[in-house]
Amino acid sequence: ARLSTCLSDLGSHRARIARPARVYMLAVVVAAAGFAARARTLTPESSRWPQPHTLARRRQLQVAMLEEEAGPSLPSIPTVLYTALGATAVYGLSEKVPRLLSDGPSEALAPLALDVFFFGFACVSLAKGMGLIGKIDYAALDGRDVGSLAKEAGAWAAAGEVPTQSPDGFEVATFAGGCFWGTELHFQRIPGVVATCVGYTQGGVPAPTYEQVCSGTTGHTEALQLLFDPSECSYESLCAKLLSTVDPTARNRVGNDRGTQYRHGIYSHTPEQAEAARRALELEQAKQSAPVVTEMLPARVFYPAENYHQRYLQKGGQNAAKNAPEKVRCYG
């Protein structure tokens, strides 16, 4: 009888462990499916473009592909995992809370506390990912007094504007070059660049947060908006600088950063900028054996990133002086 009771208790204990374990395994399977579905966005560009093709035709195809990818997308991998974590915690609470109420405090208090913690963590993470909390206060961003365009860019974003000039007559330009920390420092060092701001553009979600963009589901790319004095530096030279900091033949990848949020692009604010960008890309294509896949699209509303991202590498001690010769180190 005693042996039978022990085996029964063991079976019950194994069942309690197995049920949450099955939920976690389901989450892993769904996550793996999500990775497979997203593999298409990381496919090398050379395998997706029809050959041969002209630069103009490639731009038309690029716009068509962006429109195709702008539709509904699968939940991101973090979203799937946070949802599974929250569901598992709820399952645990549904078992432990009634037992606590009927039997009083017991050894189940520690697992109960863990379920409460994981449920809260999952809820906060999902809320951040959906932009329900952590919205950016554009009015509190840095301004020109520290060489930042963030506050002005925030005012333009709040008004839904795509500016061509600042109130004091400087031209506006927008580029994407992978991780925006490094891109910003590259351009801060250029004589004639007056102010810079990192943020998000070319997406379908208004005023996104870093967590939302990192999910890869909003359509945005990490980007840089800047003011420049065309009497000191030409727009075409700025385009050439961008192309020198990326592999222009790599789709959705700069260095070790991969994903649609790291795609590189030139986003023109005027017809003149669009023509200069076209010339710069044609010159670059002449140097490359593989297709140049850097986006060339009209600028859309640019949303500044959180203040801690602004001038991040300069704040970390890297030299932002004009013509500074030191190598840009993207993470410190």
Side-chain angles (χ1 to χ4, degrees):
R2 193 177 307 166
L3 178 60
S4 176
T5 301
C6 288
L7 289 175
S8 176
D9 290 344
L10 178 60
S12 176
H13 180 65
R14 290 179 62 187
R16 286 197 299 270
I17 294 174
R19 284 191 291 267
R22 284 196 293 270
V23 176
Y24 281 118
M25 287 301 296
L26 178 61
V28 171
V29 171
V30 174
F35 275 118
R38 288 185 176 280
R40 178 177 178 274
T41 67
L42 301 179
T43 301
E45 187 66 19
S46 58
S47 68
R48 295 187 61 192
W49 290 117
Q51 300 285 341
H53 48 74
T54 64
L55 183 65
R57 175 56 179 157
R58 188 158 64 254
R59 297 301 161 215
Q60 293 173 358
L61 292 170
Q62 195 173 64
V63 171
M65 288 170 62
L66 286 170
E67 289 175 350
E68 172 193 334
E69 292 172 0
S73 58
L74 290 171
S76 66
I77 303 307
T79 299
V80 171
L81 294 179
Y82 289 140
T83 302
L85 179 64
T88 304
V90 168
Y91 179 84
L93 289 170
S94 69
E95 283 197 331
K96 297 180 182 72
V97 170
R99 198 158 57 240
L100 176 67
L101 294 176
S102 63
D103 301 341
S106 66
E107 69 277 0
L109 281 179
L112 178 66
L114 279 176
D115 283 335
V116 170
F117 170 79
F118 286 130
F119 177 72
F121 175 77
C123 287
V124 170
S125 299
L126 287 170
K128 285 184 177 180
M130 291 185 289
L132 300 178
I133 59 176
K135 282 295 185 183
I136 303 168
D137 182 1
Y138 293 147
L141 296 175
D142 289 340
R144 292 263 205 111
D145 56 320
V146 291
S148 178
L149 182 61
K151 184 173 286 188
E152 288 172 81
W156 292 329
E161 295 181 14
V162 180
T164 58
Q165 283 191 337
S166 65
D168 48 354
F170 295 115
E171 287 194 32
V172 183
T174 303
F175 302 101
C179 173
F180 51 25
W181 295 342
T183 304
E184 181 172 39
L185 187 58
H186 278 296
F187 282 88
Q188 281 180 287
R189 294 175 171 181
I190 299 175
V193 171
V194 176
T196 59
C197 170
V198 297
Y200 319 110
T201 193
Q202 299 294 317
V205 176
T209 63
Y210 183 66
E211 286 80 6
Q212 286 179 283
V213 174
C214 282
S215 74
T217 61
T218 68
H220 294 87
T221 185
E222 291 193 9
L224 173 75
Q225 191 162 93
L226 58 85
L227 298 181
F228 71 100
D229 184 347
S231 68
E232 290 191 57
C233 63
S234 68
Y235 182 77
E236 206 157 336
S237 71
L238 296 177
C239 293
K241 178 61 179 179
L242 173 78
L243 294 170
S244 74
T245 67
V246 302
D247 175 357
T249 67
R251 176 175 169 79
N252 295 337
R253 177 173 61 82
V254 176
N256 293 322
D257 294 319
R258 296 171 179 265
T260 56
Q261 69 270 32
Y262 295 116
R263 67 189 186 272
H264 37 90
I266 301 172
Y267 307 114
S268 55
H269 288 250
T270 65
E272 293 76 19
Q273 286 189 357
E275 179 60 24
R278 183 189 62 78
R279 290 194 300 268
L281 288 170
E282 287 181 343
L283 287 172
E284 185 63 34
Q285 184 62 77
K287 305 174 189 175
Q288 303 288 343
S289 57
V292 169
V293 297
T294 302
E295 288 184 345
M296 188 187 78
L297 296 169
R300 295 169 62 181
V301 176
F302 174 93
Y303 298 100
E306 294 80 350
N307 214 39
Y308 69 87
H309 286 298
Q310 307 298 333
R311 305 176 349 275
Y312 185 88
L313 297 185
Q314 179 185 1
K315 293 173 183 174
Q318 293 193 47
N319 189 357
K322 300 303 181 185
N323 293 317
E326 296 90 345
K327 181 179 179 180
V328 172
R329 293 170 287 111
C330 196
Y331 294 105

